[in-house]
Amino acid sequence: MSTHFKRIQRLFLHWFGETALSETEQLAQRLKAIPSTTYQGLRCSSRVTPQAIQRRWDRLCKRSGHSDIQRILWQEPKVQNAPPDTAYQANIENYIGTVQVPVGLAGPLRIQGLHAQGDYYLPLATTEAALVASYNRGAQAIGLAGGCQAALLNEGIQRSPGFVFNNLGEVGLFVSWILTQEASMKAVAESTTRHGQLQDIAFAVEGNHVYLTLDFLTGDAAGQNMVTIASEAVCHYLINHSPVPPKRHYVEANFSGDKKASALAFTGVRGKKVTAEVLLPAAIVEKVLQTTPQAMADYWQMSALGSVQSGALGAQGHYANGLAALFIATGQDVACVAEAAVGLTRMSLDENGHLYTAVTLPSLAVGTVGGGTHLPTQQACLQILGLAGPGNARALAEVCAGMALAGELSIIAALAAGHFTQAHQRLARQRKTP
């Protein structure tokens, strides 16, 4: 899961620019925890009375000032606040209507990241009872500890065209010629987009097959469609100019890891690679998570070995739960959870008996523009986060890491303390349905 030194240099230049402070001093200041005395967590409740919902909106609107979000997400009946049918034409085929998924609020999640700074309320769209409560509990523990630290480590999204030749000799001629075409391929790819940049090219040869991986930066868009169009243009350029034309070609030869759990997603990057950490004092673990740091570290050790024995890619509890809920709420490509949920959770005790926890997610394909992010309710959820529009995709990725961290803390605490089944019975099975 290493990162090339040139990318690290680019990221440090982006983070810090040219200032008088050293990079080490700036990093220490930016990732410094906020005192927990300024943190006020959101009380977890399953009540859905008008009064209870209004109290939540009062708190949220007081913080953000976005009273129009309340109207879009809750106040007006669906038939009144629905956008015109034409609003969906770029996002759906055979349109017949919309499905409502309840959205719960967790947090706020306190983050001191390189891009995400402050407290973030998390809008989670799910039909799974206990999920919002779990992430909310983890966020409370993080907030009382002064927040978590998060960092974007790498970024890039790939498309992998495939080319078929008659024999290995033709493959050699094709590859050696492409080595002279980097500038032309970059110009062709970037002529199709205002925001995409072709940053790297890689090869994999298997007999008379060539897999060409094109690695792009896509700005604030997740970028799957952007890189597909750019890659198709590159393919046409190569076919029309190559000294040895391929017999066949495909714009995607299933080598990029798109929308699937793969070793490539785990060891490289597809989208944005992020990590987050927190140090929880024993008193907060006992009060909020209802267990001890030692019990959580013991459970993590067993669960990590369980992941190894099962052949899992990575070792984590339930990244997919929170990611799917946040992706649905904010208009992300939900299928990308397959690769986004590949990652690592780690827990250990420090010399004072406090709990150190870190998560690393190598392949978060998220964006704050494009795709479904422009639709009314999805845009409203991004506004709740304060991350709607250009300039916010990197912060959103760090929020995803912090959210995953909160979810891991809560579920591991529940399993370590023996509360997991009991919590699901209390919050789901034993509720009275109106």
Side-chain angles (χ1 to χ4, degrees), residues 221-232:
Q224 288 95 330
N225 291 335
M226 185 190 301
V227 301
T228 298
I229 294 168
S231 297
E232 183 72 23

Side-chain angles (χ1 to χ4, degrees), residues 4 8 20 42 74 92 126 128 137 145 164 181 192 213 235 240 258 263 287 337 339 369 376 379 388 397 402 411 434:
H4 195 277
I8 290 291
L42 187 70
W74 176 57
I92 191 69
T126 182
E128 181 185 349
R137 182 170 76 149
V164 180
Q181 300 299 306
T192 67
T213 299
C235 287
N240 292 331
D258 188 6
K287 179 180 179 181
V337 169
E339 59 208 276
V369 300
Q379 182 73 194
I411 195 171

Side-chain angles (χ1 to χ4, degrees), residues 2 19 53 79 98 105 113 121 164 169 180 218 236 251 263 268 283 291 299 320 326 338 351 372 379-380 387 428 432:
S2 59
T19 66
I53 297 171
V79 71
T98 60
L105 202 62
Y121 285 97
V164 180
T180 68
T218 57
H236 288 311
V251 72
T291 186
Y299 176 82
L326 190 66
E351 61 275 10
Q379 182 73 194
L387 298 176
K432 292 182 179 180

Side-chain angles (χ1 to χ4, degrees), residues 27 46 139 288 316 321 392:
L27 190 62
S46 60
V288 179
Q316 42 85 22
N321 257 335
N392 291 310

Side-chain angles (χ1 to χ4, degrees), residues 160-305:
S160 294
F163 302 87
V164 180
F165 295 89
N166 288 307
N167 52 55
L168 194 54
E170 291 185 356
V171 167
L173 290 172
F174 180 70
V175 171
S176 63
W177 173 74
I178 285 183
L179 294 177
T180 68
Q181 300 299 306
E182 181 179 2
S184 297
M185 293 166 65
K186 183 177 175 64
V188 168
E190 295 177 9
S191 70
T192 67
T193 171
R194 290 179 298 164
H195 305 289
Q197 299 175 29
L198 178 59
Q199 64 172 344
D200 205 358
I201 302 168
F203 299 93
V205 173
E206 189 282 317
N208 62 347
H209 289 178
V210 176
Y211 298 82
L212 178 65
T213 299
L214 305 175
D215 187 5
F216 293 85
L217 292 174
T218 57
D220 286 293
Q224 288 95 330
N225 291 335
M226 185 190 301
V227 301
T228 298
I229 294 168
S231 297
E232 183 72 23
V234 170
C235 287
H236 288 311
Y237 171 81
L238 296 178
I239 292 166
N240 292 331
H241 293 85
S242 172
V244 50
K247 293 170 61 178
R248 298 186 301 277
H249 87 281
Y250 310 95
V251 72
E252 173 57 61
N254 210 25
F255 190 88
S256 67
D258 188 6
K259 297 184 175 73
K260 55 188 69 67
S262 68
L264 195 65
F266 182 56
T267 58
V269 61
R270 182 171 166 78
K272 292 171 173 58
K273 178 180 178 180
V274 288
T275 191
E277 65 173 7
V278 69
L279 183 65
L280 291 185
I284 291 176
V285 174
E286 292 166 7
K287 179 180 179 181
V288 179
L289 300 179
Q290 301 294 300
T291 186
T292 66
Q294 184 66 61
M296 292 182 67
D298 288 345
Y299 176 82
W300 171 81
Q301 183 180 48
M302 185 169 194
S303 70
L305 291 172

Side-chain angles (χ1 to χ4, degrees), residues 8-250:
I8 290 291
Q9 287 176 333
R10 281 202 302 269
L11 287 168
F12 267 71
L13 184 61
H14 174 80
W15 294 337
F16 306 122
E18 302 290 340
T19 66
L21 286 177
S22 71
E23 292 174 351
T24 302
E25 290 172 323
Q26 290 185 72
L27 190 62
Q29 287 184 8
R30 193 165 185 83
L31 298 182
K32 187 177 180 181
I34 302 173
S36 61
T37 53
T38 64
Y39 179 82
Q40 186 177 11
L42 187 70
R43 183 179 179 184
C44 187
S45 171
S46 60
R47 291 175 62 83
V48 292
T49 63
Q51 295 83 359
I53 297 171
Q54 185 62 57
R55 281 195 296 271
R56 295 174 199 135
W57 277 112
D58 287 344
R59 176 172 178 174
L60 187 60
C61 293
K62 180 180 179 181
R63 176 179 180 270
S64 65
H66 291 301
S67 58
D68 56 325
I69 300 175
Q70 179 178 358
R71 174 182 55 79
I72 294 171
L73 284 180
W74 176 57
Q75 280 184 336
E76 295 184 358
K78 180 69 183 82
V79 71
Q80 292 182 22
N81 78 328
D85 293 340
T86 53
Y88 298 106
Q89 65 185 4
N91 297 89
I92 191 69
E93 297 77 43
N94 295 344
Y95 170 79
I96 59 170
T98 60
V99 172
Q100 290 185 324
V101 179
V103 179
L105 202 62
L109 175 68
R110 176 161 288 183
I111 300 180
Q112 288 299 102
L114 296 174
H115 302 279
Q117 294 268 314
D119 293 349
Y120 295 86
Y121 285 97
L122 304 172
L124 302 176
T126 182
T127 56
E128 181 185 349
L131 187 144
V132 174
S134 181
Y135 281 84
N136 189 69
R137 182 170 76 149
Q140 305 276 308
I142 290 171
L144 291 172
C148 64
Q149 287 68 49
L152 176 79
L153 304 175
N154 199 355
E155 59 183 325
I157 193 157
Q158 300 77 31
R159 189 59 71 209
S160 294
F163 302 87
V164 180
F165 295 89
N166 288 307
N167 52 55
L168 194 54
E170 291 185 356
V171 167
L173 290 172
F174 180 70
V175 171
S176 63
W177 173 74
I178 285 183
L179 294 177
T180 68
Q181 300 299 306
E182 181 179 2
S184 297
M185 293 166 65
K186 183 177 175 64
V188 168
E190 295 177 9
S191 70
T192 67
T193 171
R194 290 179 298 164
H195 305 289
Q197 299 175 29
L198 178 59
Q199 64 172 344
D200 205 358
I201 302 168
F203 299 93
V205 173
E206 189 282 317
N208 62 347
H209 289 178
V210 176
Y211 298 82
L212 178 65
T213 299
L214 305 175
D215 187 5
F216 293 85
L217 292 174
T218 57
D220 286 293
Q224 288 95 330
N225 291 335
M226 185 190 301
V227 301
T228 298
I229 294 168
S231 297
E232 183 72 23
V234 170
C235 287
H236 288 311
Y237 171 81
L238 296 178
I239 292 166
N240 292 331
H241 293 85
S242 172
V244 50
K247 293 170 61 178
R248 298 186 301 277
H249 87 281
Y250 310 95

